[in-house]
Amino acid sequence: DGSLWAWGANDSGQVGDGSTESRAVPVNVGAGFSAVAGGDAHTIALKTGGGLLAWGSNASGQLGDGTTVDRLTPVTLGGGFDAIAAGTAHGLALKPDGTLWAWGRNDYGQLGDGTTTSRASPVNIGSGYSSVAAGGYVSLALKSDKSLWSWGYNSFGQLGTGSSVNRSRPANVGTGFAGMATGGVHSLALKTDGSIWAWGLDDAGQLGSGAAADKSAPVLVGSGYIALSAGNFHSLAVKSDGTLWAWGYNLFGNLGDGTAISRSTPVFIAGGYAAVAGGLFHSIALKSDGSVWAWGNNAYGQLGDGTNTSRATPVSIGSGYS
């Protein structure tokens, strides 16, 4: 119905309910939303008419409202957008005409404007783009020709360009891609043939190749996938048959396989899923029936099950989500 719900840590107002009190169950933020993205301590959302809103921490201008003042409730940045992404302290947004806009922290060039100057308001990066993703200090974007581009922090090869040189302008990773995600210091991409590729830091097996070695260029993880996400040090993906798979760091049960054992190749979690998202040390997934499930670290109530108990297997949060 377009209502937006949020929960978890709220010290900077990132839940958006007007308080700084952490929430262990979902609270309503507002109505008329079509998309949402969470950064480290800030949130970006789209309204159904293309309005761009943000709230939470704003020390680096990551809310994009022209200030560095934290916001406990949504503030409007502008209109005419149709896709968004949130990094640690920066944001990205696309307009229907394919122009890409970025704002917030920029010390590694993660905004893509050719500088390392942080921006408190959106700046235009370029055109011809169709989707975006953001992670630690990294940005990824797909162009309409299915080419993948990356920029920002690259010490572990997480840009996928074959080097460890930071980029303040978009650099080409390859072609034939349909989706992408970036975590703390690793990245994933989905090709049009359903194969997943990964690159960057691999200290906990988050690349999923079984090699446990950092990669500065894409390495094949597997095939048959339709959706993916990257947590800080773990990865998640859904296959075309609705099965959910996870790999990487697992100390808090963030893979959802009932253990605290990290995995360097994908491990089966459960079936019936349609979408997935990875956080710092927790994961959230949407089933095809509209129910939401969560697992992993729960110190701030980020699982949304009304407790602060960490979970090593998925627990139901509620239904009616999209």
Side-chain angles (χ1 to χ4, degrees), residues 74 76 92 101 120 188 190 215 228 256 258:
T76 301
L92 304 172
W101 300 76
L188 307 171
L190 178 70
K215 301 289 185 181
L228 77 173

Side-chain angles (χ1 to χ4, degrees), residues 249-273:
Y249 187 70
N250 197 28
L251 182 63
F252 297 96
N254 30 315
L255 298 189
D257 67 343
T259 78
I261 300 169
S262 296
R263 310 287 185 174
S264 62
T265 56
V267 58
F268 170 73
I269 306 303
Y273 287 92

Side-chain angles (χ1 to χ4, degrees), residues 214-283:
D214 299 352
K215 301 289 185 181
S216 62
V219 58
L220 179 65
V221 178
S223 59
Y225 293 94
I226 58 170
L228 77 173
S229 183
N232 213 43
F233 299 105
H234 70 291
S235 303
L236 306 155
V238 178
K239 287 202 172 187
S240 55
D241 61 1
T243 56
L244 175 64
W245 299 75
W247 58 96
Y249 187 70
N250 197 28
L251 182 63
F252 297 96
N254 30 315
L255 298 189
D257 67 343
T259 78
I261 300 169
S262 296
R263 310 287 185 174
S264 62
T265 56
V267 58
F268 170 73
I269 306 303
Y273 287 92
V276 66
L280 181 60
F281 299 119
H282 75 293
S283 304

Side-chain angles (χ1 to χ4, degrees), residues 86-87 90 133-140 158-159 180-189 199 228-232 278:
H90 74 289
Y137 306 106
V138 170
S139 300
L140 302 173
Q158 59 266 46
L159 297 188
M180 66 281 170
T182 183
V185 281
H186 77 292
S187 302
L188 307 171
W199 57 93
L228 77 173
S229 183
N232 213 43

Side-chain angles (χ1 to χ4, degrees), residues 185-216:
V185 281
H186 77 292
S187 302
L188 307 171
L190 178 70
K191 285 213 169 188
T192 53
D193 64 2
S195 60
I196 284 182
W197 299 73
W199 57 93
L201 183 69
D202 197 28
D203 61 336
Q206 59 264 51
L207 297 192
S209 67
D214 299 352
K215 301 289 185 181
S216 62

Side-chain angles (χ1 to χ4, degrees), residues 54-157:
W55 57 96
S57 178
N58 198 25
S60 298
Q62 61 262 50
L63 299 190
D65 66 345
T67 78
T68 54
V69 178
D70 293 354
R71 306 290 183 175
L72 306 186
T73 55
V75 58
T76 301
L77 309 189
F81 294 92
D82 67 353
I84 53 172
T88 294
H90 74 289
L92 304 172
L94 274 177
K95 289 196 172 185
D97 63 1
T99 56
L100 175 61
W101 300 76
W103 62 95
R105 184 171 173 178
N106 195 29
D107 48 338
Y108 296 104
Q110 59 263 48
L111 297 191
D113 66 345
T115 77
T116 53
T117 303
S118 296
R119 309 288 182 176
S121 299
V123 295
N124 180 246
I125 304 307
S127 61
Y129 294 95
S130 59
S131 61
V132 289
Y137 306 106
V138 170
S139 300
L140 302 173
L142 273 180
K143 287 204 170 186
S144 53
D145 63 0
K146 305 300 181 184
S147 61
L148 178 62
W149 300 75
S150 65
W151 58 98
Y153 184 52
N154 198 29
S155 287
F156 298 95

